[in-house]
Amino acid sequence: MKSVIVACVAALLAASCASGGQVPSQRERLTRQISDDAVAFNQAYGQAVSAQILLNILRSRDRLPRHYLAMTGISDSPSWTTSRSVSIGGVPLGAISSPWGIGEVGASREQSSRPSYAVQPFSADTLTRTAFQPTPANVFNHYWYSGWPRDMLMLMMVESIEKTDATGHTSTYTNEANTIFDDCGASVQTDGCEFVREVRVFLSMTEQHPYERGVDLERGRPLCGLVESFNPSSPVRPAAPREGQVCEPVFAVGSDTLRLRLRSLDDMVYYVGELLRAGGMRAEPGEAIEAQVTVRAAGLRGGGRGVPLFRVLPAHASAHGVYAAEVAYGDDRFRAGPAIGRSCGEQTAEGVCQDVAEAGDRSSSVLSLIAEILALNQSPDAIRAPSRLIAE
């Protein structure tokens, strides 16, 4: 009888050991933890950067000071605590003279984790380079050729256009946000709307002559800063800058030459905030605050009727589940940049392919553009913002 009990105890101990072997190994747990942490930190950093931009846009709307902070890399050093135990508890078994017991094998593991990071103001040099210097021409060229919405790039990045015609006469169009109303209909005669209309004419010309470049690298008219040409009246060619010369982006369109003066990152943020002022005056409490100028809708071939360049919604009125930015401001919480994953060949009366602002919101594209330029301008010790893919 005693040998039978010994065999039973051994079997119980073996079963306990076998069940313990089903627990994931330390390597598997560590791999999973690293993967989960990397995703969580990516989301945390992206939301922090986008929320800072949205906060400064709302401050700009209300003519409050804007502040920019650098966020260094997020690090994490998890600590593990492991304990194991083996015990045999005495259990009387009938008339047997010696008590025997049933074995238990226990194991536990705990992890404690506290991520570390630093949020601090930029140094004076970095702040100047990051926020206040005009955007370099090569940055504009990169986004122009990378498939980004060109109407959005022109509105966001360009401060003014100098247009020189065949006679040498130059006209200047200034992108003044505080004079842009009602999507710049024909009845709105302001400097800002003159700029918007000039941009729309320019973009229409680029679509009418997409392949008529008119570039002659040997005999063409030299243009420093040439980005593209569209059906120029005479051949053109790019020219290298002279020593110390900074060439702004230039386009040759028909008989006209357009030279773009680019704005700084802080000017972009302030521009969006200014555009929201007129929209805020028209919005009812709880409704979306919309910029009073439109760009092509996201994910709809041809761009539809257009959607506001930027929209801000009170958090309680948000219809989507995922937003690029959310921030507490004043007595409310605001969101901007809903996830727009559609790709529609034509509009529909219902569903995701409707030609409405909610379905084609471009706010996430605006936030992504500012975030990436912010990253490009920062010092080497600042963590880089993740690149976003913007689908037309």
Side-chain angles (χ1 to χ4, degrees), residues 75-157:
S75 61
D76 186 26
S77 300
S79 59
W80 294 87
T81 302
T82 303
S83 63
R84 295 183 178 85
S85 62
V86 179
S87 64
I88 297 179
V91 178
L93 297 175
I96 302 175
S97 58
S98 300
W100 290 83
I102 299 176
E104 293 182 355
V105 176
S108 64
R109 177 179 291 140
E110 296 181 356
Q111 178 192 11
S112 60
S113 176
R114 186 177 180 83
S116 62
Y117 57 91
V119 179
Q120 57 195 11
F122 289 115
S123 65
D125 291 342
T126 303
L127 181 62
T128 299
R129 181 176 63 252
T130 300
F132 300 132
Q133 288 185 350
T135 303
N138 67 303
V139 175
F140 176 86
N141 295 352
H142 165 74
Y143 287 105
W144 182 264
Y145 283 112
S146 296
W148 284 65
R150 290 182 170 180
D151 52 356
M152 185 193 79
L153 294 179
M154 293 292 291
L155 292 174
M156 289 294 300
M157 301 183 72

Coordinates of all heavy atoms in Angstrom, one line a residue, residues 75-157:
S75 N 12.5 55.5 -23.2 CA 13.3 54.3 -22.9 C 12.5 53.6 -21.8 O 11.8 54.2 -21.0 CB 14.7 54.6 -22.5 OG 14.7 55.5 -21.3
D76 N 12.8 52.3 -21.7 CA 12.1 51.4 -20.7 C 13.1 50.3 -20.3 O 13.7 49.7 -21.1 CB 10.8 50.8 -21.3 CG 10.0 50.1 -20.3 OD1 10.2 50.4 -19.1 OD2 9.3 49.2 -20.6
S77 N 13.2 50.2 -19.0 CA 14.0 49.1 -18.4 C 13.2 48.2 -17.5 O 13.2 48.4 -16.3 CB 15.2 49.7 -17.7 OG 16.0 50.5 -18.5
P78 N 12.5 47.3 -18.1 CA 11.6 46.4 -17.2 C 12.4 45.6 -16.3 O 13.5 45.1 -16.6 CB 10.8 45.6 -18.2 CG 11.7 45.6 -19.4 CD 12.4 46.9 -19.5
S79 N 11.9 45.4 -15.1 CA 12.6 44.5 -14.1 C 11.7 43.3 -13.8 O 10.4 43.4 -13.7 CB 12.9 45.2 -12.8 OG 11.7 45.8 -12.2
W80 N 12.3 42.1 -13.7 CA 11.5 40.9 -13.5 C 11.8 40.3 -12.1 O 13.0 40.3 -11.7 CB 11.9 39.8 -14.6 CG 11.6 40.2 -16.0 CD1 12.3 40.9 -16.8 CD2 10.4 39.8 -16.6 NE1 11.6 41.0 -18.0 CE2 10.4 40.3 -17.9 CE3 9.2 39.0 -16.3 CZ2 9.4 40.2 -18.9 CZ3 8.2 38.9 -17.2 CH2 8.3 39.4 -18.5
T81 N 10.8 39.8 -11.5 CA 10.9 39.1 -10.2 C 10.3 37.8 -10.3 O 9.1 37.6 -10.7 CB 10.2 39.9 -9.1 OG1 10.7 41.2 -9.0 CG2 10.4 39.2 -7.7
T82 N 11.1 36.7 -10.1 CA 10.7 35.3 -10.3 C 10.8 34.6 -9.0 O 11.9 34.7 -8.3 CB 11.5 34.7 -11.4 OG1 11.5 35.4 -12.6 CG2 11.0 33.3 -11.7
S83 N 9.9 33.8 -8.7 CA 9.9 32.9 -7.5 C 9.4 31.6 -7.8 O 8.4 31.4 -8.6 CB 9.1 33.6 -6.4 OG 7.7 33.7 -6.7
R84 N 10.0 30.5 -7.2 CA 9.5 29.1 -7.4 C 9.4 28.5 -6.1 O 10.2 28.8 -5.2 CB 10.5 28.4 -8.3 CG 10.6 28.9 -9.8 CD 11.5 28.0 -10.6 NE 11.6 28.5 -12.0 CZ 12.4 29.4 -12.4 NH1 13.2 30.0 -11.6 NH2 12.4 29.8 -13.7
S85 N 8.5 27.5 -6.0 CA 8.4 26.8 -4.7 C 8.0 25.4 -5.0 O 7.3 25.1 -5.9 CB 7.4 27.5 -3.8 OG 6.1 27.5 -4.4
V86 N 8.5 24.4 -4.1 CA 8.1 23.0 -4.1 C 7.7 22.6 -2.7 O 8.5 22.9 -1.8 CB 9.2 22.1 -4.7 CG1 8.7 20.7 -4.6 CG2 9.6 22.6 -6.1
S87 N 6.5 22.0 -2.5 CA 6.1 21.7 -1.1 C 5.4 20.4 -1.1 O 4.7 20.0 -2.1 CB 5.3 22.8 -0.5 OG 4.1 23.0 -1.2
I88 N 5.4 19.7 0.0 CA 4.6 18.5 0.2 C 3.9 18.6 1.5 O 4.6 18.7 2.6 CB 5.5 17.2 0.2 CG1 6.2 17.0 -1.1 CG2 4.7 16.0 0.6 CD1 7.1 15.8 -1.1
G89 N 2.6 18.8 1.4 CA 1.8 18.9 2.6 C 1.4 17.6 3.2 O 1.0 16.7 2.5
G90 N 1.5 17.4 4.5 CA 1.1 16.2 5.2 C -0.4 16.0 5.2 O -1.1 16.8 5.6
V91 N -0.8 14.8 4.7 CA -2.2 14.5 4.7 C -2.3 13.1 5.3 O -1.8 12.1 4.8 CB -2.8 14.5 3.3 CG1 -4.3 14.1 3.3 CG2 -2.6 15.9 2.7
P92 N -3.0 12.8 6.5 CA -3.2 11.5 7.1 C -3.9 10.6 6.1 O -4.9 11.0 5.5 CB -4.1 11.8 8.3 CG -3.9 13.2 8.6 CD -3.7 13.9 7.3
L93 N -3.4 9.4 5.9 CA -4.0 8.5 5.0 C -4.4 7.2 5.8 O -3.7 6.2 5.8 CB -3.0 8.1 3.9 CG -2.6 9.3 3.0 CD1 -1.6 8.9 2.0 CD2 -3.8 9.9 2.3
G94 N -5.5 7.2 6.4 CA -6.1 6.0 7.0 C -5.2 5.5 8.2 O -4.7 6.3 9.0
A95 N -5.0 4.2 8.2 CA -4.3 3.5 9.2 C -2.8 3.4 9.0 O -2.1 2.8 9.8 CB -4.9 2.1 9.4
I96 N -2.3 4.1 8.0 CA -0.9 4.0 7.8 C -0.2 4.7 8.9 O -0.6 5.8 9.3 CB -0.6 4.6 6.4 CG1 -1.4 3.9 5.3 CG2 0.9 4.6 6.1 CD1 -1.2 4.4 4.0
S97 N 0.9 4.2 9.3 CA 1.6 4.7 10.5 C 2.3 6.1 10.2 O 2.4 6.9 11.1 CB 2.7 3.7 11.0 OG 3.6 3.5 9.9
S98 N 2.7 6.3 9.0 CA 3.3 7.6 8.7 C 2.5 8.4 7.7 O 2.0 7.9 6.7 CB 4.7 7.3 8.0 OG 5.5 6.6 8.9
P99 N 2.3 9.7 8.0 CA 1.5 10.5 7.1 C 2.3 10.9 5.8 O 3.5 11.1 5.9 CB 1.3 11.8 7.9 CG 2.4 11.9 8.9 CD 2.8 10.5 9.2
W100 N 1.6 10.8 4.7 CA 2.2 11.2 3.4 C 1.5 12.4 2.9 O 0.5 12.9 3.5 CB 2.1 10.0 2.4 CG 3.0 8.9 2.8 CD1 2.8 7.9 3.7 CD2 4.3 8.7 2.3 NE1 3.8 7.1 3.8 CE2 4.8 7.5 3.0 CE3 5.2 9.3 1.4 CZ2 6.1 7.0 2.8 CZ3 6.4 8.8 1.2 CH2 6.9 7.7 1.9
G101 N 1.9 13.0 1.9 CA 1.3 14.2 1.4 C 1.2 14.3 -0.1 O 1.7 13.4 -0.8
I102 N 0.6 15.4 -0.5 CA 0.4 15.7 -1.9 C 1.3 16.8 -2.3 O 1.3 17.9 -1.6 CB -1.1 16.0 -2.3 CG1 -1.9 14.8 -1.9 CG2 -1.2 16.4 -3.7 CD1 -3.4 15.0 -2.1
G103 N 2.1 16.7 -3.3 CA 3.0 17.7 -3.7 C 2.4 18.9 -4.5 O 1.5 18.7 -5.2
E104 N 3.0 20.0 -4.4 CA 2.7 21.2 -5.1 C 3.9 21.9 -5.7 O 4.9 22.0 -5.0 CB 1.9 22.2 -4.3 CG 0.5 21.8 -3.8 CD -0.2 22.8 -3.0 OE1 0.5 23.9 -2.7 OE2 -1.3 22.6 -2.7
V105 N 3.9 22.3 -6.9 CA 5.0 23.1 -7.5 C 4.4 24.4 -7.9 O 3.4 24.5 -8.7 CB 5.6 22.3 -8.7 CG1 6.6 23.2 -9.4 CG2 6.1 21.0 -8.3
G106 N 5.0 25.5 -7.4 CA 4.5 26.8 -7.8 C 5.5 27.7 -8.4 O 6.7 27.6 -8.1
A107 N 5.1 28.6 -9.3 CA 6.0 29.5 -9.9 C 5.3 30.8 -10.2 O 4.1 30.8 -10.6 CB 6.6 29.0 -11.2
S108 N 5.9 31.9 -9.9 CA 5.3 33.2 -10.2 C 6.3 34.2 -10.8 O 7.5 34.1 -10.4 CB 4.7 33.8 -8.9 OG 5.7 34.1 -8.0
R109 N 5.9 35.1 -11.6 CA 6.8 36.1 -12.2 C 6.1 37.4 -12.3 O 5.0 37.5 -12.7 CB 7.3 35.6 -13.6 CG 8.2 36.6 -14.3 CD 8.6 36.1 -15.6 NE 9.5 35.0 -15.5 CZ 9.5 33.9 -16.2 NH1 8.6 33.8 -17.2 NH2 10.3 32.9 -16.1
E110 N 6.7 38.5 -11.8 CA 6.2 39.8 -11.9 C 7.1 40.7 -12.6 O 8.3 40.6 -12.5 CB 5.9 40.3 -10.5 CG 4.9 39.6 -9.7 CD 4.6 40.2 -8.3 OE1 5.4 41.1 -8.0 OE2 3.8 39.7 -7.6
Q111 N 6.5 41.7 -13.3 CA 7.3 42.6 -14.1 C 6.9 44.0 -13.7 O 5.7 44.3 -13.6 CB 7.2 42.5 -15.6 CG 8.0 43.5 -16.4 CD 7.6 43.6 -17.8 OE1 6.6 43.0 -18.2 NE2 8.4 44.3 -18.6
S112 N 7.8 44.9 -13.4 CA 7.6 46.3 -13.1 C 8.2 47.1 -14.2 O 9.4 46.8 -14.6 CB 8.1 46.7 -11.7 OG 9.5 46.5 -11.6
S113 N 7.5 48.1 -14.7 CA 8.1 48.9 -15.8 C 7.7 50.4 -15.6 O 6.5 50.7 -15.2 CB 7.5 48.4 -17.1 OG 7.9 49.2 -18.2
R114 N 8.6 51.3 -15.8 CA 8.4 52.7 -15.7 C 9.1 53.4 -16.8 O 10.3 53.6 -16.7 CB 8.8 53.3 -14.4 CG 8.4 54.7 -14.2 CD 8.7 55.2 -12.8 NE 8.4 56.6 -12.6 CZ 7.1 57.0 -12.3 NH1 6.2 56.1 -12.1 NH2 6.9 58.3 -12.1
P115 N 8.4 53.7 -18.0 CA 9.1 54.4 -19.1 C 9.7 55.7 -18.7 O 9.1 56.4 -17.8 CB 8.0 54.5 -20.1 CG 7.0 53.5 -19.7 CD 7.0 53.4 -18.3
S116 N 10.8 56.1 -19.3 CA 11.4 57.4 -19.0 C 11.5 58.2 -20.3 O 11.8 57.6 -21.3 CB 12.8 57.2 -18.3 OG 13.7 56.5 -19.2
Y117 N 11.3 59.5 -20.2 CA 11.4 60.3 -21.3 C 11.6 61.8 -20.8 O 11.4 62.0 -19.6 CB 10.2 60.3 -22.3 CG 8.9 60.6 -21.6 CD1 8.4 61.9 -21.5 CD2 8.2 59.6 -20.9 CE1 7.2 62.1 -20.8 CE2 7.0 59.8 -20.2 CZ 6.5 61.1 -20.2 OH 5.3 61.4 -19.6
A118 N 11.9 62.7 -21.7 CA 12.1 64.1 -21.3 C 11.4 65.0 -22.3 O 11.5 64.8 -23.5 CB 13.6 64.4 -21.3
V119 N 10.6 65.9 -21.8 CA 9.9 66.9 -22.6 C 10.5 68.3 -22.1 O 10.4 68.6 -20.9 CB 8.4 66.9 -22.4 CG1 7.7 68.0 -23.2 CG2 7.9 65.5 -22.8
Q120 N 11.1 69.0 -23.0 CA 11.8 70.2 -22.6 C 11.7 71.3 -23.7 O 11.5 70.9 -24.9 CB 13.2 69.9 -22.3 CG 14.0 69.3 -23.4 CD 15.3 68.7 -23.0 OE1 15.5 68.5 -21.8 NE2 16.1 68.3 -23.9
P121 N 11.8 72.5 -23.4 CA 11.8 73.6 -24.4 C 13.0 73.4 -25.3 O 14.1 73.0 -24.9 CB 11.9 74.9 -23.6 CG 11.4 74.5 -22.3 CD 11.9 73.1 -22.0
F122 N 12.9 73.9 -26.6 CA 14.0 73.9 -27.5 C 15.0 75.0 -27.0 O 14.6 76.0 -26.4 CB 13.5 74.3 -28.9 CG 12.8 73.2 -29.6 CD1 11.4 73.4 -29.9 CD2 13.4 72.0 -29.9 CE1 10.7 72.4 -30.6 CE2 12.6 71.0 -30.6 CZ 11.3 71.2 -30.9
S123 N 16.3 74.8 -27.4 CA 17.2 75.8 -27.2 C 16.9 76.9 -28.2 O 16.2 76.7 -29.2 CB 18.6 75.3 -27.4 OG 18.8 74.9 -28.8
A124 N 17.5 78.1 -28.0 CA 17.2 79.2 -28.8 C 17.6 78.9 -30.3 O 16.8 79.2 -31.2 CB 18.0 80.5 -28.3
D125 N 18.8 78.3 -30.5 CA 19.2 78.0 -31.9 C 18.2 77.0 -32.5 O 17.8 77.2 -33.7 CB 20.6 77.5 -31.9 CG 21.6 78.6 -31.5 OD1 21.3 79.8 -31.6 OD2 22.8 78.2 -31.2
T126 N 17.9 76.0 -31.8 CA 17.0 74.9 -32.3 C 15.6 75.5 -32.6 O 15.0 75.1 -33.6 CB 17.0 73.7 -31.4 OG1 18.3 73.2 -31.1 CG2 16.1 72.6 -32.0
L127 N 15.1 76.3 -31.7 CA 13.8 76.9 -31.9 C 13.8 77.8 -33.1 O 12.8 77.7 -33.9 CB 13.4 77.7 -30.7 CG 12.0 78.4 -30.7 CD1 10.9 77.3 -30.8 CD2 11.8 79.2 -29.5
T128 N 14.8 78.5 -33.3 CA 14.9 79.4 -34.5 C 14.9 78.5 -35.8 O 14.1 78.8 -36.7 CB 16.1 80.3 -34.5 OG1 16.1 81.1 -33.4 CG2 16.2 81.1 -35.8
R129 N 15.7 77.5 -35.8 CA 15.8 76.6 -37.0 C 14.5 75.8 -37.1 O 14.0 75.6 -38.3 CB 17.0 75.7 -36.8 CG 17.2 74.7 -38.0 CD 18.5 73.9 -37.8 NE 18.4 73.0 -36.7 CZ 19.1 73.2 -35.5 NH1 19.9 74.2 -35.4 NH2 19.0 72.4 -34.5
T130 N 13.9 75.4 -36.0 CA 12.7 74.5 -36.1 C 11.5 75.2 -36.5 O 10.7 74.8 -37.3 CB 12.5 73.8 -34.8 OG1 13.7 73.0 -34.5 CG2 11.3 72.9 -34.8
A131 N 11.2 76.4 -35.9 CA 9.9 77.0 -36.0 C 9.9 78.3 -36.8 O 8.9 78.6 -37.4 CB 9.4 77.3 -34.6
F132 N 11.0 79.1 -36.8 CA 10.9 80.4 -37.3 C 11.6 80.7 -38.7 O 11.3 81.7 -39.3 CB 11.4 81.4 -36.3 CG 10.6 81.3 -35.0 CD1 11.3 81.2 -33.8 CD2 9.3 81.3 -35.0 CE1 10.6 81.2 -32.6 CE2 8.6 81.2 -33.8 CZ 9.2 81.2 -32.6
Q133 N 12.4 79.8 -39.1 CA 13.1 80.0 -40.4 C 12.2 79.5 -41.5 O 11.5 78.5 -41.4 CB 14.4 79.3 -40.5 CG 15.5 80.0 -39.6 CD 16.9 79.3 -39.8 OE1 17.0 78.2 -40.4 NE2 17.9 79.9 -39.2
P134 N 12.2 80.2 -42.7 CA 11.4 79.7 -43.8 C 11.8 78.3 -44.2 O 12.9 77.9 -44.1 CB 11.7 80.7 -44.9 CG 12.2 81.9 -44.2 CD 12.9 81.5 -43.0
T135 N 10.8 77.5 -44.6 CA 11.0 76.2 -45.0 C 12.0 76.1 -46.2 O 11.8 76.9 -47.2 CB 9.7 75.5 -45.4 OG1 8.8 75.6 -44.3 CG2 9.9 74.0 -45.8
P136 N 13.0 75.3 -46.2 CA 14.0 75.2 -47.4 C 13.2 74.8 -48.6 O 12.3 74.0 -48.6 CB 15.0 74.2 -46.9 CG 14.9 74.2 -45.4 CD 13.5 74.5 -45.1
A137 N 13.7 75.2 -49.8 CA 13.1 74.9 -51.0 C 13.2 73.4 -51.3 O 12.2 72.8 -51.9 CB 13.8 75.6 -52.2
N138 N 14.2 72.7 -50.9 CA 14.3 71.3 -51.1 C 13.3 70.5 -50.4 O 12.8 69.4 -50.8 CB 15.7 70.8 -50.8 CG 16.0 70.8 -49.3 OD1 15.9 71.9 -48.7 ND2 16.4 69.7 -48.7
V139 N 12.8 71.0 -49.2 CA 11.7 70.3 -48.5 C 10.4 70.4 -49.3 O 9.7 69.5 -49.4 CB 11.6 70.9 -47.1 CG1 10.4 70.3 -46.4 CG2 12.9 70.7 -46.3
F140 N 10.2 71.6 -49.8 CA 9.0 71.8 -50.6 C 9.0 70.9 -51.8 O 8.0 70.2 -52.2 CB 8.8 73.3 -51.1 CG 7.7 73.5 -52.0 CD1 6.4 73.7 -51.6 CD2 7.9 73.4 -53.4 CE1 5.4 73.9 -52.4 CE2 6.8 73.6 -54.3 CZ 5.6 73.9 -53.8
N141 N 10.2 70.8 -52.5 CA 10.3 70.0 -53.7 C 10.1 68.5 -53.3 O 9.4 67.8 -54.1 CB 11.7 70.1 -54.3 CG 12.0 71.5 -54.8 OD1 11.1 72.3 -54.9 ND2 13.3 71.8 -55.2
H142 N 10.6 68.1 -52.2 CA 10.3 66.7 -51.8 C 8.9 66.4 -51.7 O 8.4 65.3 -52.2 CB 11.0 66.4 -50.4 CG 10.6 65.2 -49.7 ND1 11.0 63.9 -50.2 CD2 9.7 65.0 -48.7 CE1 10.4 63.0 -49.4 NE2 9.6 63.6 -48.5
Y143 N 8.1 67.2 -51.0 CA 6.7 66.9 -50.9 C 5.9 67.1 -52.2 O 4.9 66.4 -52.4 CB 6.1 67.8 -49.8 CG 6.5 67.4 -48.4 CD1 7.4 68.1 -47.7 CD2 6.0 66.3 -47.8 CE1 7.8 67.7 -46.4 CE2 6.3 65.8 -46.5 CZ 7.3 66.6 -45.8 OH 7.7 66.1 -44.6
W144 N 6.4 68.0 -53.0 CA 5.7 68.2 -54.3 C 5.8 67.0 -55.2 O 4.8 66.6 -55.9 CB 6.4 69.4 -55.0 CG 5.7 69.7 -56.4 CD1 6.2 69.3 -57.6 CD2 4.6 70.5 -56.6 NE1 5.3 69.8 -58.6 CE2 4.3 70.6 -58.0 CE3 3.7 71.2 -55.7 CZ2 3.3 71.3 -58.5 CZ3 2.7 71.9 -56.3 CH2 2.4 72.0 -57.7
Y145 N 6.9 66.3 -55.1 CA 7.1 65.1 -55.9 C 6.7 63.8 -55.2 O 6.8 62.7 -55.8 CB 8.6 65.0 -56.4 CG 8.9 66.0 -57.5 CD1 9.8 67.0 -57.3 CD2 8.4 65.8 -58.8 CE1 10.1 67.9 -58.3 CE2 8.8 66.6 -59.8 CZ 9.6 67.7 -59.6 OH 10.0 68.6 -60.6
S146 N 6.3 63.9 -54.0 CA 6.0 62.6 -53.2 C 4.6 62.2 -53.2 O 4.2 61.3 -52.4 CB 6.5 62.8 -51.8 OG 7.9 63.0 -51.8
G147 N 3.7 62.9 -54.0 CA 2.3 62.4 -54.1 C 1.4 63.1 -53.1 O 0.3 62.6 -52.9
W148 N 1.9 64.1 -52.4 CA 1.0 64.8 -51.4 C 0.0 65.6 -52.2 O 0.3 66.1 -53.3 CB 1.9 65.6 -50.5 CG 2.6 64.9 -49.4 CD1 3.6 63.9 -49.6 CD2 2.3 64.9 -48.0 NE1 4.0 63.4 -48.4 CE2 3.2 64.0 -47.4 CE3 1.5 65.6 -47.2 CZ2 3.3 63.8 -46.0 CZ3 1.5 65.4 -45.8 CH2 2.4 64.5 -45.3
P149 N -1.1 65.9 -51.5 CA -2.1 66.8 -52.2 C -1.5 68.2 -52.5 O -1.2 68.9 -51.5 CB -3.3 66.9 -51.2 CG -3.1 65.7 -50.3 CD -1.6 65.5 -50.2
R150 N -1.4 68.6 -53.7 CA -0.7 69.8 -54.1 C -1.5 71.0 -53.7 O -0.8 72.1 -53.4 CB -0.4 69.8 -55.6 CG 0.7 68.7 -55.9 CD 1.1 68.7 -57.3 NE 2.2 67.8 -57.6 CZ 2.8 67.6 -58.7 NH1 2.3 68.2 -59.8 NH2 3.9 66.8 -58.8
D151 N -2.8 71.0 -53.7 CA -3.5 72.2 -53.2 C -3.3 72.4 -51.7 O -3.1 73.6 -51.3 CB -5.0 72.0 -53.5 CG -5.6 70.7 -53.0 OD1 -4.9 69.9 -52.5 OD2 -6.9 70.6 -53.1
M152 N -3.2 71.4 -51.0 CA -2.9 71.5 -49.5 C -1.4 72.1 -49.3 O -1.2 72.9 -48.5 CB -3.0 70.2 -48.8 CG -2.8 70.2 -47.3 SD -2.6 68.6 -46.6 CE -0.9 68.3 -47.0
L153 N -0.5 71.6 -50.1 CA 0.9 72.0 -50.0 C 1.0 73.5 -50.3 O 1.7 74.3 -49.6 CB 1.8 71.3 -51.0 CG 2.0 69.8 -50.7 CD1 2.9 69.1 -51.7 CD2 2.6 69.5 -49.3
M154 N 0.3 74.0 -51.4 CA 0.4 75.4 -51.8 C -0.2 76.3 -50.7 O 0.3 77.3 -50.4 CB -0.3 75.6 -53.1 CG 0.3 74.9 -54.3 SD 1.9 75.7 -54.7 CE 1.4 77.3 -55.3
L155 N -1.3 75.9 -50.1 CA -2.0 76.7 -49.1 C -1.1 76.7 -47.8 O -1.0 77.7 -47.1 CB -3.4 76.2 -48.8 CG -4.4 76.4 -49.9 CD1 -5.7 75.7 -49.5 CD2 -4.6 77.9 -50.2
M156 N -0.6 75.5 -47.4 CA 0.1 75.4 -46.1 C 1.5 76.0 -46.2 O 1.9 76.7 -45.2 CB 0.2 74.0 -45.7 CG -1.1 73.4 -45.3 SD -1.8 74.1 -43.7 CE -0.4 73.7 -42.6
M157 N 2.3 75.8 -47.2 CA 3.7 76.1 -47.2 C 4.1 77.4 -47.9 O 5.2 77.9 -47.7 CB 4.4 74.9 -47.9 CG 4.2 73.6 -47.3 SD 5.2 72.2 -48.0 CE 6.9 72.7 -47.5

